[in-house]
């Protein structure tokens, strides 16, 4: 039985990916802050972990490596967003977004690097349209996703000789937390809770698109119509893309 590790696996897109993989006969290990609603089964192992806490992450990854014969797929899905103008945020909140969206993923990649090599497995980073384009009122979020993509695109070249695939999925707007933003005073909030997006996808639809991309080893997997259009338009004319994005989100 193949094993997948999913960070942010307790809700939204992580849960949808977990369900889809288990339906395919995989075993999943789900890392999240709160896994109290997730039962442990022969195909599902939930582990509570604050990925930004080095000690907790070290204990969890050691536990996983001890309990799993192979690590065939690591999905770096945990993340938070931040909504608001740069002039209304501070450095601490910017660093908080990077700790969750970027540094936690890099720490996981380092912890599972050799296990994924042994399995000739796959790293799958869940980025965003904001990972390759600008996004209004999301300076920290977009920066963290750009950094995530830069890291995994570079890692792809290093791990290729080990038979390891390194893929990136870039969803547009996925309705993972509608009405449950849990927005903090610093503007950080749960992903998929924004109300200024368009053409929202369900987590289940996004998960199916992502896994089809994994099946075909697509290095970049735009997820949803908005993501596909953004990917093409931004490559053809970044200026036009930015103008249209501002008009849609800012209402200019």
């Amino acid at each position: 039985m193949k094993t997948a590790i999913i960070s942010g696996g307790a809700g939204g897109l992580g849960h949808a990916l977990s369900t889809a993989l288990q339906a395919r006969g995989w075993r999943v290990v789900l890392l999240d802050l709160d896994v109290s609603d997730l039962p442990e089964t022969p195909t599902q192992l939930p582990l509570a972990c604050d990925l930004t806490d080095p000690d907790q992450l070290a204990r969890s990854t050691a536990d996983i490596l001890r309990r799993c014969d192979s690590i065939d797929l690591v999905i770096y899905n945990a993340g938070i967003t931040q909504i608001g103008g740069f002039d209304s945020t501070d450095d601490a909140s910017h660093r908080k977004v990077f700790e969750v969206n970027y540094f936690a993923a890099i720490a996981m990649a380092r912890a599972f690097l050799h296990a994924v090599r042994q399995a000739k497995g796959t790293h799958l980073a869940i980025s965003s349209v904001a990972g390759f384009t600008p996004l209004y009122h999301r300076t920290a979020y977009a920066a963290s996703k750009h950094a995530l993509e830069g890291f995994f695109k570079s890692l792809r070249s290093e791990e290729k000789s080990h038979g390891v695939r390194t893929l990136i999925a870039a969803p547009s707007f996925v309705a993972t937390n509608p009405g449950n933003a849990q927005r903090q005073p610093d503007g950080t909030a749960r992903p998929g809770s924004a109300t200024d997006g368009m053409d929202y996808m369900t987590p289940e639809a996004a998960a199916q698109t992502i896994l089809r991309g994994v099946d075909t080893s697509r290095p970049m997997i735009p997820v949803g119509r908005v993501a596909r259009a953004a990917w093409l338009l931004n490559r053809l004319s970044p200026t036009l893309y930015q103008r249209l994005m501002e008009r849609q989100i800012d209402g200019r």
Side-chain angles (χ1 to χ4, degrees):
M1 183 181 293
K2 290 186 176 182
T3 298
I5 315 298
I6 307 176
S7 68
L13 183 56
H15 186 265
L17 287 164
S18 167
T19 300
L21 284 168
Q22 288 182 72
R24 292 178 170 208
W26 284 64
R27 183 191 191 198
V28 296
V29 180
L30 308 176
L31 293 169
D32 214 316
L33 284 170
D34 183 2
V35 294
S36 57
D37 291 335
L38 299 175
E40 182 173 342
T41 72
T43 61
Q44 178 172 282
L45 174 61
L47 294 175
C49 179
D50 180 348
L51 299 173
T52 67
D53 183 317
D55 292 334
Q56 287 191 41
L57 182 58
R59 287 194 298 269
S60 294
T61 54
D63 188 23
I64 292 168
L65 292 169
R66 184 177 64 253
R67 298 172 68 168
C68 298
D69 295 332
S70 68
I71 305 297
D72 302 278
L73 172 63
V74 182
I75 303 179
Y76 306 90
N77 171 68
I80 58 174
T81 189
Q82 184 184 44
I83 304 171
F86 178 66
D87 59 359
S88 65
T89 62
D90 57 19
D91 288 348
S93 63
H94 202 107
R95 291 178 184 276
K96 178 181 177 181
V97 173
F98 263 78
E99 287 293 339
V100 178
N101 294 2
Y102 177 76
F103 285 110
I106 275 55
M108 278 185 63
R110 190 180 301 281
F112 294 120
L113 190 69
H114 294 292
V116 174
R117 285 179 178 178
Q118 289 174 359
K120 296 188 183 304
T122 302
H123 298 283
L124 172 60
I126 305 300
S127 181
S128 163
V129 169
F132 59 83
T133 66
L135 187 57
Y136 182 77
H137 271 177
R138 309 288 200 288
T139 50
Y141 179 73
S144 69
K145 292 298 187 178
H146 274 67
L148 188 76
E149 288 199 14
F151 171 81
F152 281 102
K153 287 176 181 176
S154 301
L155 186 68
R156 179 183 297 148
S157 299
E158 297 183 20
E159 295 305 295
K160 183 179 179 181
S161 63
H162 298 282
V164 171
R165 300 183 303 168
T166 304
L167 314 177
I168 298 169
S172 47
F173 295 98
V174 181
T176 53
N177 289 292
N180 185 33
Q182 297 182 22
R183 186 165 179 171
Q184 304 300 308
D186 60 8
T188 58
R190 292 172 64 85
S193 61
T195 58
D196 58 357
M198 57 183 292
D199 198 25
Y200 280 88
M201 300 180 70
T202 65
E204 293 74 21
Q208 292 299 329
T209 299
I210 290 169
L211 293 180
R212 284 196 297 269
V214 173
D215 291 340
T216 55
S217 296
R218 294 185 63 185
M220 171 60 78
I221 309 166
V223 182
R225 289 177 295 183
V226 171
R228 292 192 297 272
W231 174 253
L232 291 172
L233 181 57
N234 189 64
R235 296 184 71 181
L236 292 171
S237 176
T239 302
L240 177 59
Y241 171 82
Q242 186 147 14
R243 187 181 307 133
L244 292 174
M245 177 274 297
E246 291 169 355
R247 184 182 303 167
Q248 174 63 39
I249 296 181
D250 186 29
R252 297 186 202 179

